[in-house]
Amino acid sequence: MNLKDIKAVKALLAEPQKIVIIPHKNPDGDAIGSTLGLWHYLKNAGQTATIVAPNDYPKFLKWMPGNDAILNFEGQNKQAKAALDEASLIFTLDFNHFGRTGQLAPVLEASTAQFIMIDHHQAPADYATIMYSDVQMSSTCEMVYNFIDFLGDIDKITPEMANCLYTGIMTDTGSFKFASTTSKTHLVIADLIDKGAENTTIHNKIYDTNSPSRLRLLGCALNNLVILPEYKTAYITLSQAELDKHAYKKGDTEGFVNYGLTLDGIHFAVIFIENTEEGIIKISFRSQGDFSVNEFARNHFNGGGHDNAAGGRSDVSLEETVKNFTALLPLYTDKLNK
């Protein structure tokens, strides 16, 4: 953030505001961690603040301090709309286009509130009065830490805030192994631990709590793994029938796509997940090295994200989607074999 924006934020927060904080649809650890971390900060500063999530999110994220205060736009529509109607200031976290909020998008587009964006994805839209956008950042949680620092309040980070922010940084960096993890990221993490983040407990809550059905679903996913060595690519498919057979719950497939990248010589990993309720195939892309899955997702699958982690979707069948995907790979042979 530049000095002008910092001064503008300070001026806004010097007055009582009715604030709503929004994560993206299907929020992940970074989205929930950043919104809750900011929520605690604003509440402690005496502001009226409410988090409105576009929809539900996995159970393994619901332990975070303040979770019970989050309004689900789908399940608590009346309360959520009331908060948005009254908002004078809206923070949008971990997304940069209203389209990433699903059914919430028209409400945001019609709002007369001022917007502050905090996000690390590429190609931001221009809806925000104040925009803190940095694609080099590991996570939105690291950016919220910086945001609080810019305002001169780093000493006001509580253990509750530290736990939330640590969670988002940990999950969005793949437990600190992705290339976006910098020396500054580690310094931030160290400070959050010093301020009360329970790193071992957080890791256990996120990664080490499984159900038998989820483990069996993982086994099914790995059994479906297809390796294409000529393109240094591996992909997984999961049909709706397979999800139903293994009692799928939201969040159960989190991290499955990363298994492809654990294979020697694989640079590009993908998972295709059928969702008959929405009539789409949800796609997650991961890569190692210089191959940009953000570019790939934007060009071919109505998606985007980061250079090494992105998402997309397809409106045709699972079989057709995979066929379309594999037909594209010869176009990227040189980039994949670098």
Side-chain angles (χ1 to χ4, degrees):
M1 291 182 72
N2 59 43
L3 185 59
K4 179 182 176 182
D5 285 343
I6 294 169
K7 287 182 176 178
V9 172
K10 286 183 176 180
L12 282 170
L13 297 182
E15 302 292 334
Q17 302 283 351
K18 290 187 177 180
I19 300 172
V20 174
I21 309 168
I22 310 286
H24 55 74
K25 183 181 179 182
N26 299 321
D28 56 7
D30 192 27
I32 295 298
S34 60
T35 52
L36 280 170
L38 181 63
W39 178 79
H40 282 289
Y41 169 72
L42 294 170
K43 294 280 284 185
N44 292 346
Q47 294 288 353
T48 300
T50 304
I51 300 172
V52 175
N55 62 342
D56 201 10
Y57 46 94
K59 183 180 178 181
F60 62 78
L61 297 175
K62 294 184 176 181
W63 59 270
M64 277 187 267
N67 174 77
D68 291 345
I70 296 176
L71 296 178
N72 179 338
F73 186 73
E74 289 184 347
Q76 298 163 289
N77 189 263
K78 187 175 180 180
Q79 294 165 271
K81 278 187 173 180
L84 285 160
D85 287 343
E86 295 174 3
S88 59
L89 182 61
I90 297 175
F91 283 84
T92 63
L93 269 58
D94 204 34
F95 70 94
N96 58 25
H97 191 286
F98 288 154
R100 290 286 285 113
T101 64
Q103 295 179 25
L104 196 48
V107 181
L108 297 178
E109 289 167 357
S111 176
T112 58
Q114 294 194 70
F115 284 86
I116 297 178
M117 175 201 298
I118 304 177
D119 178 66
H120 65 135
H121 297 89
Q122 298 184 14
D126 62 355
Y127 62 81
T129 306
I130 297 166
M131 183 169 65
Y132 176 25
S133 173
D134 189 341
V135 299
Q136 303 301 318
M137 282 286 167
S138 72
S139 57
T140 300
C141 277
E142 184 174 348
M143 297 178 76
V144 169
Y145 176 96
N146 291 342
F147 178 81
I148 295 169
D149 194 14
F150 293 147
L151 298 180
D153 287 337
I154 205 70
D155 60 328
K156 294 182 181 178
I157 292 180
T158 63
E160 292 79 13
M161 293 161 63
N163 276 314
C164 295
L165 298 179
Y166 184 102
T167 299
I169 299 172
M170 180 190 74
T171 54
D172 241 36
T173 59
S175 294
F176 317 109
K177 70 182 179 183
F178 294 161
S180 59
T181 308
T182 65
S183 58
K184 174 66 188 302
T185 307
H186 284 291
L187 290 172
V188 170
I189 283 297
D191 191 45
L192 291 175
I193 292 173
D194 288 343
K195 286 177 165 53
E198 301 172 271
N199 53 312
T200 301
T201 300
I202 293 169
H203 193 282
N204 289 341
K205 287 181 179 293
I206 297 294
Y207 296 119
D208 296 340
T209 303
N210 272 310
S211 64
S213 60
R214 182 180 186 272
L215 288 182
R216 293 188 181 103
L217 181 61
L218 173 59
C220 175
L222 295 178
N223 190 57
N224 292 349
L225 177 71
V226 175
I227 302 169
L228 303 172
E230 65 272 33
Y231 303 117
K232 298 188 183 300
T233 295
Y235 69 84
I236 290 169
T237 60
L238 281 171
S239 68
Q240 186 67 60
E242 288 169 325
L243 296 173
D244 293 343
K245 179 181 177 181
H246 295 94
Y248 168 79
K249 294 181 179 61
K250 186 178 285 290
D252 278 355
T253 58
E254 186 77 22
F256 283 13
V257 65
N258 296 320
Y259 280 88
L261 289 183
T262 66
L263 294 166
D264 186 34
I266 295 299
H267 295 166
F268 186 21
V270 187
I271 187 168
F272 302 93
I273 302 173
E274 186 176 30
N275 185 323
T276 55
E277 182 180 349
E278 295 186 29
I280 64 169
I281 308 303
K282 183 181 176 184
I283 313 169
S284 292
F285 303 97
R286 298 291 184 270
S287 68
Q288 297 184 109
D290 297 331
F291 184 70
S292 174
V293 292
N294 171 65
E295 180 182 328
F296 187 89
R298 285 183 183 276
N299 288 343
H300 305 294
F301 290 100
N302 305 300
H306 306 288
D307 284 337
N308 297 121
R313 56 180 285 169
S314 169
D315 297 324
V316 298
S317 70
L318 182 59
E319 293 75 15
E320 288 178 278
T321 300
V322 172
K323 184 178 178 180
N324 293 341
F325 168 74
T326 55
L328 291 167
L329 293 177
L331 303 176
Y332 291 89
T333 302
D334 292 342
K335 289 184 178 180
L336 288 167
N337 281 281
K338 267 188 178 181

